[in-house]
Amino acid sequence: MSDALRFLAARGFLIEVVEEGDKTLFWFEGRETDSFNILAVAYMLGMERPEKGA
């Protein structure tokens, strides 16, 4: 997950991660989203997928 956040931030996307108690909220370009969507966008934009079993 942290690789995806760094990948997107390095490309100029606005990302905010907010810890609220035991919950982590993700904001991408001003909209609340979840970790699945963060990863999906990063992969669609060319982030390499980790090796299986790694």
Side-chain angles (χ1 to χ4, degrees):
M1 184 65 192
S2 60
D3 288 343
L5 293 170
R6 282 193 290 273
F7 178 88
L8 294 170
R11 281 147 184 82
F13 290 99
L14 299 175
I15 299 171
E16 186 176 354
V17 180
V18 178
E19 300 279 337
E20 269 190 10
D22 61 344
K23 191 174 183 182
T24 302
L25 304 174
F26 298 97
W27 291 81
F28 180 75
E29 292 291 307
R31 293 184 153 183
E32 188 174 0
T33 190
D34 59 21
S35 59
F36 177 81
N37 285 320
I38 296 286
L39 288 169
V41 169
Y43 289 140
M44 286 189 297
L45 292 176
M47 184 179 91
E48 298 210 7
R49 294 175 188 252
E51 294 292 324
K52 291 201 178 209

